[in-house]
Amino acid sequence: NVMRKITIAILMKNRGCHMKRASIISRIVASLIDIYLIVFITMMLIFLLLNWTENNLVLSMIISLVFILLGVTSVLFKDVFDGRSLGKRIFNLGVRELDSTIPSTKKLINRNLSFLFWPKDVYKLIFSEDKRRQGDINNRTDVYQLENTNSMSSKVLKILISISIIVVLIISGFITIIKQDASYKTALTYIENNERIQEKVGDNMNFSFFPSASINRSNGYGEATFNIKVTGDKDSLLVFIMLVKVPNEEWIVENINYKQQTQ
């Protein structure tokens, strides 16, 4: 145990002699940004593609599995370009060997294998004596601050900007998924061709950019509800529309009602 502590002390003293080790907070936030973006992009692609294969359960399962595997693979390869993922580039971090050199692609992939057991990784990073992930310990690497000019206010600003970007991506992602869904497109077509709604709102019909929506699918069955603001030359209406779906059939409108809105 004493020899291990001495070895750790020597490694910490000599590690990255020309660079400062990255703070735990910067590392965690950078990793969260990377993982979130990978999960977000993977789930968006799955939902968008499932919209075209919802009547084929086997194909839907295959597509989901393929994209999940691609997402996991992306986690393993996220640092292969110069040891810096997108999150690390935002915070000017980089994975380096203990002698400050850039690790090989194989090492960069191997160190990220430990992400599959992330609770152990987090524990090692926060509570171990040398504050390194298991993947870094196994591959004799660490994460460094490549530029030491970042003040605390600059780091806080980057964190806030990163959170803002994530929130915007979440909102825009959900809107994209909703608007590309077959149930939403069916709802819009029905509203556009509804003579009563046309008569009330007039010409140049437009729909709200942020529709309130609930879409549920299970084994080929589906139920979707939307609250959509519809505006035209004459008036504005808040339209509630409910659609249902059975296996191997298209979405159909089951219920619709509306009320006047102030423009």
Side-chain angles (χ1 to χ4, degrees), residues 230-257:
V230 184
T231 60
D233 295 338
K234 294 181 180 180
D235 206 349
S236 293
L237 299 177
L238 181 62
V239 178
F240 170 83
I241 184 167
M242 178 178 179
L243 301 94
V244 295
K245 183 185 180 304
V246 296
N248 302 316
E249 298 291 341
E250 301 297 327
W251 288 91
I252 60 172
V253 176
E254 186 175 72
N255 183 31
I256 184 170
N257 56 64

mmCIF file of all heavy atoms in Angstrom, residues 230-257:
data_model
loop_
_atom_site.group_PDB
_atom_site.id
_atom_site.type_symbol
_atom_site.label_atom_id
_atom_site.label_comp_id
_atom_site.label_asym_id
_atom_site.label_seq_id
_atom_site.Cartn_x
_atom_site.Cartn_y
_atom_site.Cartn_z
ATOM 1 N N VAL A 230 -54.031 27.741 -35.199
ATOM 2 C CA VAL A 230 -54.205 27.952 -36.630
ATOM 3 C C VAL A 230 -54.614 29.401 -36.858
ATOM 4 O O VAL A 230 -55.581 29.880 -36.262
ATOM 5 C CB VAL A 230 -55.276 27.008 -37.208
ATOM 6 C CG1 VAL A 230 -55.380 27.179 -38.721
ATOM 7 C CG2 VAL A 230 -54.950 25.561 -36.862
ATOM 8 N N THR A 231 -53.871 30.101 -37.692
ATOM 9 C CA THR A 231 -54.179 31.514 -37.975
ATOM 10 C C THR A 231 -54.422 31.712 -39.471
ATOM 11 O O THR A 231 -53.897 30.978 -40.309
ATOM 12 C CB THR A 231 -53.023 32.435 -37.537
ATOM 13 O OG1 THR A 231 -51.839 32.073 -38.252
ATOM 14 C CG2 THR A 231 -52.770 32.314 -36.047
ATOM 15 N N GLY A 232 -55.252 32.720 -39.760
ATOM 16 C CA GLY A 232 -55.531 33.069 -41.146
ATOM 17 C C GLY A 232 -55.849 34.542 -41.251
ATOM 18 O O GLY A 232 -55.616 35.317 -40.323
ATOM 19 N N ASP A 233 -56.422 34.947 -42.389
ATOM 20 C CA ASP A 233 -56.746 36.354 -42.623
ATOM 21 C C ASP A 233 -57.854 36.861 -41.701
ATOM 22 O O ASP A 233 -57.883 38.031 -41.337
ATOM 23 C CB ASP A 233 -57.176 36.569 -44.079
ATOM 24 C CG ASP A 233 -56.031 36.298 -45.042
ATOM 25 O OD1 ASP A 233 -54.866 36.361 -44.602
ATOM 26 O OD2 ASP A 233 -56.304 36.007 -46.231
ATOM 27 N N LYS A 234 -58.763 35.973 -41.318
ATOM 28 C CA LYS A 234 -59.917 36.390 -40.527
ATOM 29 C C LYS A 234 -59.730 36.243 -39.025
ATOM 30 O O LYS A 234 -60.103 37.128 -38.250
ATOM 31 C CB LYS A 234 -61.151 35.576 -40.946
ATOM 32 C CG LYS A 234 -61.628 35.823 -42.359
ATOM 33 C CD LYS A 234 -62.865 34.973 -42.625
ATOM 34 C CE LYS A 234 -63.395 35.167 -44.041
ATOM 35 N NZ LYS A 234 -64.597 34.324 -44.290
ATOM 36 N N ASP A 235 -59.190 35.123 -38.586
ATOM 37 C CA ASP A 235 -59.207 34.826 -37.151
ATOM 38 C C ASP A 235 -58.120 33.809 -36.809
ATOM 39 O O ASP A 235 -57.419 33.302 -37.695
ATOM 40 C CB ASP A 235 -60.580 34.271 -36.760
ATOM 41 C CG ASP A 235 -60.924 34.510 -35.296
ATOM 42 O OD1 ASP A 235 -60.015 34.916 -34.543
ATOM 43 O OD2 ASP A 235 -62.093 34.299 -34.924
ATOM 44 N N SER A 236 -58.013 33.516 -35.504
ATOM 45 C CA SER A 236 -57.093 32.488 -35.006
ATOM 46 C C SER A 236 -57.878 31.486 -34.174
ATOM 47 O O SER A 236 -58.753 31.871 -33.384
ATOM 48 C CB SER A 236 -55.983 33.105 -34.149
ATOM 49 O OG SER A 236 -55.141 33.914 -34.926
ATOM 50 N N LEU A 237 -57.558 30.221 -34.353
ATOM 51 C CA LEU A 237 -58.226 29.164 -33.592
ATOM 52 C C LEU A 237 -57.193 28.274 -32.922
ATOM 53 O O LEU A 237 -56.109 28.049 -33.473
ATOM 54 C CB LEU A 237 -59.091 28.298 -34.513
ATOM 55 C CG LEU A 237 -60.237 28.948 -35.269
ATOM 56 C CD1 LEU A 237 -60.896 27.921 -36.181
ATOM 57 C CD2 LEU A 237 -61.251 29.539 -34.305
ATOM 58 N N LEU A 238 -57.535 27.770 -31.740
ATOM 59 C CA LEU A 238 -56.744 26.727 -31.106
ATOM 60 C C LEU A 238 -57.464 25.412 -31.369
ATOM 61 O O LEU A 238 -58.572 25.181 -30.873
ATOM 62 C CB LEU A 238 -56.601 26.963 -29.601
ATOM 63 C CG LEU A 238 -55.758 25.909 -28.856
ATOM 64 C CD1 LEU A 238 -54.326 25.897 -29.385
ATOM 65 C CD2 LEU A 238 -55.764 26.166 -27.363
ATOM 66 N N VAL A 239 -56.847 24.574 -32.167
ATOM 67 C CA VAL A 239 -57.488 23.339 -32.607
ATOM 68 C C VAL A 239 -56.956 22.158 -31.790
ATOM 69 O O VAL A 239 -55.741 21.950 -31.707
ATOM 70 C CB VAL A 239 -57.237 23.092 -34.107
ATOM 71 C CG1 VAL A 239 -57.881 21.777 -34.547
ATOM 72 C CG2 VAL A 239 -57.770 24.246 -34.935
ATOM 73 N N PHE A 240 -57.885 21.404 -31.193
ATOM 74 C CA PHE A 240 -57.531 20.148 -30.534
ATOM 75 C C PHE A 240 -57.942 19.022 -31.464
ATOM 76 O O PHE A 240 -59.091 18.962 -31.911
ATOM 77 C CB PHE A 240 -58.260 19.994 -29.195
ATOM 78 C CG PHE A 240 -58.119 18.621 -28.595
ATOM 79 C CD1 PHE A 240 -56.998 18.284 -27.860
ATOM 80 C CD2 PHE A 240 -59.109 17.669 -28.796
ATOM 81 C CE1 PHE A 240 -56.854 17.008 -27.315
ATOM 82 C CE2 PHE A 240 -58.977 16.381 -28.256
ATOM 83 C CZ PHE A 240 -57.845 16.059 -27.507
ATOM 84 N N ILE A 241 -57.020 18.134 -31.755
ATOM 85 C CA ILE A 241 -57.315 17.039 -32.671
ATOM 86 C C ILE A 241 -56.716 15.748 -32.128
ATOM 87 O O ILE A 241 -55.591 15.726 -31.639
ATOM 88 C CB ILE A 241 -56.790 17.346 -34.103
ATOM 89 C CG1 ILE A 241 -57.179 16.250 -35.081
ATOM 90 C CG2 ILE A 241 -55.290 17.582 -34.103
ATOM 91 C CD1 ILE A 241 -56.978 16.643 -36.540
ATOM 92 N N MET A 242 -57.506 14.689 -32.184
ATOM 93 C CA MET A 242 -57.072 13.379 -31.683
ATOM 94 C C MET A 242 -57.104 12.374 -32.828
ATOM 95 O O MET A 242 -58.077 12.316 -33.593
ATOM 96 C CB MET A 242 -57.986 12.917 -30.558
ATOM 97 C CG MET A 242 -57.645 11.554 -29.999
ATOM 98 S SD MET A 242 -58.734 11.099 -28.616
ATOM 99 C CE MET A 242 -58.079 9.459 -28.254
ATOM 100 N N LEU A 243 -56.043 11.598 -32.961
ATOM 101 C CA LEU A 243 -55.948 10.597 -34.019
ATOM 102 C C LEU A 243 -55.646 9.230 -33.411
ATOM 103 O O LEU A 243 -55.039 9.133 -32.339
ATOM 104 C CB LEU A 243 -54.837 10.954 -35.020
ATOM 105 C CG LEU A 243 -54.953 12.297 -35.734
ATOM 106 C CD1 LEU A 243 -54.164 13.359 -34.964
ATOM 107 C CD2 LEU A 243 -54.437 12.217 -37.170
ATOM 108 N N VAL A 244 -56.061 8.182 -34.113
ATOM 109 C CA VAL A 244 -55.781 6.816 -33.679
ATOM 110 C C VAL A 244 -55.255 6.019 -34.862
ATOM 111 O O VAL A 244 -55.443 6.399 -36.027
ATOM 112 C CB VAL A 244 -57.025 6.125 -33.084
ATOM 113 C CG1 VAL A 244 -57.461 6.817 -31.798
ATOM 114 C CG2 VAL A 244 -58.155 6.106 -34.098
ATOM 115 N N LYS A 245 -54.624 4.909 -34.539
ATOM 116 C CA LYS A 245 -54.037 4.060 -35.577
ATOM 117 C C LYS A 245 -54.118 2.608 -35.152
ATOM 118 O O LYS A 245 -53.952 2.284 -33.976
ATOM 119 C CB LYS A 245 -52.570 4.456 -35.800
ATOM 120 C CG LYS A 245 -51.873 3.696 -36.902
ATOM 121 C CD LYS A 245 -50.412 4.063 -36.953
ATOM 122 C CE LYS A 245 -49.708 3.307 -38.061
ATOM 123 N NZ LYS A 245 -49.865 1.843 -37.921
ATOM 124 N N VAL A 246 -54.376 1.724 -36.097
ATOM 125 C CA VAL A 246 -54.338 0.285 -35.857
ATOM 126 C C VAL A 246 -53.263 -0.314 -36.756
ATOM 127 O O VAL A 246 -52.825 0.325 -37.717
ATOM 128 C CB VAL A 246 -55.714 -0.365 -36.159
ATOM 129 C CG1 VAL A 246 -56.771 0.170 -35.200
ATOM 130 C CG2 VAL A 246 -56.121 -0.125 -37.604
ATOM 131 N N PRO A 247 -52.774 -1.512 -36.441
ATOM 132 C CA PRO A 247 -51.684 -2.107 -37.228
ATOM 133 C C PRO A 247 -51.991 -2.161 -38.724
ATOM 134 O O PRO A 247 -53.116 -2.461 -39.132
ATOM 135 C CB PRO A 247 -51.563 -3.518 -36.635
ATOM 136 C CG PRO A 247 -52.045 -3.368 -35.228
ATOM 137 C CD PRO A 247 -53.154 -2.365 -35.296
ATOM 138 N N ASN A 248 -50.972 -1.825 -39.504
ATOM 139 C CA ASN A 248 -51.024 -1.877 -40.966
ATOM 140 C C ASN A 248 -52.039 -0.918 -41.582
ATOM 141 O O ASN A 248 -52.450 -1.086 -42.738
ATOM 142 C CB ASN A 248 -51.328 -3.307 -41.446
ATOM 143 C CG ASN A 248 -50.299 -4.302 -40.952
ATOM 144 O OD1 ASN A 248 -49.104 -4.044 -40.994
ATOM 145 N ND2 ASN A 248 -50.777 -5.445 -40.469
ATOM 146 N N GLU A 249 -52.431 0.109 -40.830
ATOM 147 C CA GLU A 249 -53.341 1.122 -41.339
ATOM 148 C C GLU A 249 -52.757 2.503 -41.096
ATOM 149 O O GLU A 249 -51.838 2.673 -40.299
ATOM 150 C CB GLU A 249 -54.721 1.022 -40.658
ATOM 151 C CG GLU A 249 -55.447 -0.291 -40.896
ATOM 152 C CD GLU A 249 -55.915 -0.456 -42.328
ATOM 153 O OE1 GLU A 249 -56.004 0.574 -43.039
ATOM 154 O OE2 GLU A 249 -56.175 -1.602 -42.743
ATOM 155 N N GLU A 250 -53.316 3.495 -41.802
ATOM 156 C CA GLU A 250 -52.865 4.869 -41.637
ATOM 157 C C GLU A 250 -53.555 5.515 -40.435
ATOM 158 O O GLU A 250 -54.542 4.999 -39.908
ATOM 159 C CB GLU A 250 -53.178 5.681 -42.895
ATOM 160 C CG GLU A 250 -52.539 5.147 -44.170
ATOM 161 C CD GLU A 250 -51.023 5.181 -44.117
ATOM 162 O OE1 GLU A 250 -50.474 6.103 -43.481
ATOM 163 O OE2 GLU A 250 -50.386 4.289 -44.720
ATOM 164 N N TRP A 251 -53.011 6.657 -39.987
ATOM 165 C CA TRP A 251 -53.632 7.409 -38.907
ATOM 166 C C TRP A 251 -54.971 7.979 -39.388
ATOM 167 O O TRP A 251 -55.100 8.430 -40.537
ATOM 168 C CB TRP A 251 -52.738 8.570 -38.475
ATOM 169 C CG TRP A 251 -51.512 8.141 -37.722
ATOM 170 C CD1 TRP A 251 -50.292 7.844 -38.243
ATOM 171 C CD2 TRP A 251 -51.401 7.981 -36.305
ATOM 172 N NE1 TRP A 251 -49.411 7.499 -37.243
ATOM 173 C CE2 TRP A 251 -50.066 7.585 -36.042
ATOM 174 C CE3 TRP A 251 -52.279 8.144 -35.238
ATOM 175 C CZ2 TRP A 251 -49.602 7.340 -34.755
ATOM 176 C CZ3 TRP A 251 -51.820 7.897 -33.942
ATOM 177 C CH2 TRP A 251 -50.496 7.494 -33.714
ATOM 178 N N ILE A 252 -55.975 7.965 -38.508
ATOM 179 C CA ILE A 252 -57.267 8.563 -38.825
ATOM 180 C C ILE A 252 -57.680 9.493 -37.690
ATOM 181 O O ILE A 252 -57.309 9.283 -36.521
ATOM 182 C CB ILE A 252 -58.363 7.502 -39.061
ATOM 183 C CG1 ILE A 252 -58.551 6.637 -37.802
ATOM 184 C CG2 ILE A 252 -58.034 6.650 -40.268
ATOM 185 C CD1 ILE A 252 -59.750 5.709 -37.901
ATOM 186 N N VAL A 253 -58.417 10.543 -38.030
ATOM 187 C CA VAL A 253 -58.874 11.512 -37.041
ATOM 188 C C VAL A 253 -60.109 10.962 -36.326
ATOM 189 O O VAL A 253 -61.086 10.575 -36.972
ATOM 190 C CB VAL A 253 -59.198 12.864 -37.696
ATOM 191 C CG1 VAL A 253 -59.781 13.841 -36.666
ATOM 192 C CG2 VAL A 253 -57.946 13.449 -38.336
ATOM 193 N N GLU A 254 -60.037 10.926 -35.006
ATOM 194 C CA GLU A 254 -61.154 10.420 -34.205
ATOM 195 C C GLU A 254 -61.981 11.542 -33.598
ATOM 196 O O GLU A 254 -63.189 11.417 -33.420
ATOM 197 C CB GLU A 254 -60.635 9.502 -33.084
ATOM 198 C CG GLU A 254 -61.747 8.817 -32.295
ATOM 199 C CD GLU A 254 -61.191 7.824 -31.293
ATOM 200 O OE1 GLU A 254 -60.611 8.282 -30.287
ATOM 201 O OE2 GLU A 254 -61.333 6.602 -31.507
ATOM 202 N N ASN A 255 -61.320 12.659 -33.288
ATOM 203 C CA ASN A 255 -62.041 13.759 -32.657
ATOM 204 C C ASN A 255 -61.338 15.075 -32.965
ATOM 205 O O ASN A 255 -60.115 15.122 -33.043
ATOM 206 C CB ASN A 255 -62.097 13.535 -31.140
ATOM 207 C CG ASN A 255 -62.909 14.605 -30.432
ATOM 208 O OD1 ASN A 255 -63.860 15.156 -30.988
ATOM 209 N ND2 ASN A 255 -62.537 14.918 -29.198
ATOM 210 N N ILE A 256 -62.124 16.139 -33.148
ATOM 211 C CA ILE A 256 -61.548 17.465 -33.364
ATOM 212 C C ILE A 256 -62.499 18.526 -32.818
ATOM 213 O O ILE A 256 -63.718 18.417 -32.978
ATOM 214 C CB ILE A 256 -61.266 17.716 -34.866
ATOM 215 C CG1 ILE A 256 -60.582 19.078 -35.061
ATOM 216 C CG2 ILE A 256 -62.528 17.613 -35.693
ATOM 217 C CD1 ILE A 256 -60.065 19.306 -36.465
ATOM 218 N N ASN A 257 -61.942 19.504 -32.139
ATOM 219 C CA ASN A 257 -62.721 20.667 -31.739
ATOM 220 C C ASN A 257 -61.791 21.872 -31.653
ATOM 221 O O ASN A 257 -60.571 21.706 -31.676
ATOM 222 C CB ASN A 257 -63.476 20.434 -30.414
ATOM 223 C CG ASN A 257 -62.542 20.033 -29.291
ATOM 224 O OD1 ASN A 257 -61.679 20.812 -28.883
ATOM 225 N ND2 ASN A 257 -62.717 18.817 -28.772
#
